[in-house]
Amino acid sequence: MRKMWDNPQTHTMPEGVRVPAEFHIGGVRIAPATVLAPMAGVTDTVFRRFIRNASMFSLDHPASNGSTADVSATVTNQQSGCGLLMTEFTSADGLSRMRESKRRRYLTFYDDEHPIAAQLFGSNADTLADAARIVQDTGFDTVDLNLGCPAKRVVSCNGGSGLLRDLPLIEVIFKRVRAAVSIPFTVKFRMGWNDSNIVCVPLAKLAEDCGLNAVAMHARTRENGYSGQARWEYIAAVKDAVGIPVIGNGDILTPEDAVAMVAQTRCDAVMIGRAAPANPWIFRQIAQYTATGRYDVATDEDRYRMIKAYFGMLLDELAEHPVVRGIPGVELTEQQIKQKKNRESALRETLGKMKQFASWFTHGIPGGATLRKQIFESKDGNAVLGAVERFFESRRGIAEPEPELVASSYPFRA
C-alpha cells in the first residue's frame, strides 16, 4: 500500500457543508457516512477494530474537549467516527476452495466490527457467487466486489480493475452475485482502465440496473495507479447518473478534504484509505468537526497511546498461537510441528506489522526518523516496544501547543 501523495491539494472547509450523519446500503444503516477502504495487508481485524476504537467520538466524551478517546475500549459504530469497516480484498477463487478452518482466518471479525463488509475479487461469475454466499453465511452485513485494484498480479488474472475492460462480463457477474445473496451487494471501481476508456458512469448505471445497493468510486484510472490528483468531477458525474448511494474515494487526507469532496460531488459518503494508517484519528476528526465545527490535532501523547494500543492488540492476536514446548529427546508430533510453523508465521507477521505501522504513526513527529530506524533494526516485538517507550519518554519534556490552539489554526466554521 502506497502511503504518499503527489502534490496533494489543500482544501478549506466549505461553509455550511458537513459529511452526512448517515446513509443506508440496502437495509444497513451506516452512521456516520464514513467508510474505511479495503486495503491489502492493512485492514485485517486488528486494524479494523483499532480504527473503530480510535475513531470514538461523542459530545459527552472527553475527546470533544481536547483529549483523545480510549482506543482500547470496546465501542460500536454508533459511538465511532467510522461508520463502515471493510476487509482486505479476498480472492473468490481461493475462498471457494479453502477448508472452512482456513476461511475463518481470512474472514475473521468480531461483534464490535458491525456493520462490516467483505470485499471479493475475481473474474469467474459462478465462483464469485459461491464466495458471496460464504460471506453471507459468515455473518457479514454486506458484500463488495473489487473492480479497482491496479496491482499487476490481480489485473493479470482479469481481476480488480482488469475487469473494467469488459462491461458485458461485469454484467454477468453482477447478476450472478445479486441472485446468490440477500445481503446488500456493492461494488468499488475506478474511473476506467485509462483516459481513453472511462467507464465509470455506464458502470454505475449497470450496477443500479442489476440491483446493487451502492457504488464506491476511486477517482483515478487503473493506469494512474495512485499518482496525480484524484478527479472528483467524475464522482459528481456518477452521482448525477444513479439513484443509489455513491461513496467517494481518493485523496482524502484531512477532514477538510472529506467535506470538500461532499461539497464538490454531493456524494452520499466518503471512503478513506491511505490516510487512515498515517492519521488513525481522521474519522474522529470528521465526526468532531461535523458536531462542533472544529477538531483536535493529535499530540505526541496521543500517538504514543495509539502505538501502544495497536501493538497490544497485535500481541493479543499472537497469543492465540501458543508456543510449542517439546520434550528433549522426543520428536514433535505432526500437530505440534504445524502449530510451531503457525506460531513462527504469526510472529513474523506481527513483527512486520509493528514495524510497518510504527513507521506510519510516527510521520510528522520531530525526530521520528530516528525512531523509525530503531524500529526497523529491532529483532522482536519487545525491542520495538522498547524503542517506542524510550523515544516518547525523551519527548515528554518538550512543550507542545495546546490542542485548542492547534485546532484553531484551521479555518473552522461552526
Side-chain angles (χ1 to χ4, degrees), residues 32-46:
T34 52
V35 182
L36 174 65
M39 291 175 281
V42 179
T43 52
D44 60 8
T45 182
V46 177

Side-chain angles (χ1 to χ4, degrees), residues 2 62 71 80 88 110 117 163 211 221 254 261 265 270 308 329 370:
R2 183 175 168 183
V71 297
S80 171
E88 303 174 76
Y110 293 81
L163 278 171
T221 66
T254 66
M261 176 182 280
T265 70
V270 295
K308 288 274 289 183
T370 300

Side-chain angles (χ1 to χ4, degrees), residues 172-193:
V172 173
I173 292 171
F174 280 171
K175 290 179 177 178
R176 204 71 53 86
V177 174
R178 180 66 286 174
V181 296
S182 58
I183 59 174
F185 174 30
T186 63
V187 61
K188 183 175 186 284
F189 53 88
R190 285 176 174 247
M191 292 158 44
W193 179 256

